[in-house]
Amino acid sequence: MSTTDQQQLPSREELQQRAVEGHPITTDEVSKIAKTEAELTDGRGPIAGGVAATAQSLKAKQEHFIEVASEVSHKPVNEITKEDAAAVESAEARLLGHRPPKGSTAATIQSIADKNERLMSETKTESESKTESESKPESESKTES
């Protein structure tokens, strides 16, 4: 196979970097990489752990991340939970190959979930306080009778 064909095939590291930077890996791109890899191996097909396998894996991880993030982003903001944040973080971490950094989609969703949890906790505490103060005069009047 010619040097030109080998230069057309990106390295696994290049594919990973492009995916991390947000470059979508398309079905067409995966097919072209697989075809070139097959030609380079004299028709023996894609190499296990090779560039074509890496491209397919990254494509699947991108699709999964987009699916999970999309599901969460379609929820009303006040209904986003810590479980939602964990699902987005897991999908983004698999795609990136490491924990998502500050400013990432996962970090943003986590921040929203934390705020929602605090608000729910404050609302619950206020509600319990009101219930206690409303029921107090009743109980006091019963003990006086």
Side-chain angles (χ1 to χ4, degrees), residues 89-133:
E89 181 179 4
S90 175
E92 191 168 10
R94 283 190 202 119
L95 173 60
L96 298 175
H98 55 80
R99 188 171 184 185
K102 290 182 179 180
S104 66
T105 301
T108 301
I109 298 297
Q110 184 64 56
S111 176
I112 292 168
D114 289 344
K115 286 176 187 173
N116 287 343
E117 187 171 278
R118 277 194 303 275
L119 286 172
M120 286 176 52
S121 177
E122 289 171 8
T123 303
K124 184 178 179 183
T125 302
E126 288 174 10
S127 176
E128 288 172 352
S129 294
K130 276 186 177 181
T131 304
E132 285 176 15
S133 66

Side-chain angles (χ1 to χ4, degrees), residues 2-67:
S2 71
T3 306
T4 305
D5 288 336
Q6 290 175 352
Q7 290 172 348
Q8 291 176 0
L9 198 61
S11 71
R12 292 172 44 200
E13 292 76 19
E14 289 170 331
L15 282 173
Q16 178 67 38
Q17 186 59 39
R18 286 170 43 202
V20 166
E21 292 170 355
H23 167 77
I25 298 174
T26 65
T27 301
D28 187 46
E29 187 175 9
V30 172
S31 295
K32 286 178 183 176
I33 290 170
K35 181 181 177 192
T36 302
E37 191 173 79
E39 290 170 358
L40 290 170
T41 59
D42 295 324
R44 290 187 301 242
I47 301 166
V51 178
T54 299
Q56 180 59 49
S57 174
L58 289 169
K59 179 183 180 306
K61 289 174 184 178
Q62 284 179 330
E63 289 173 346
H64 178 68
F65 169 67
I66 289 167
E67 180 183 325

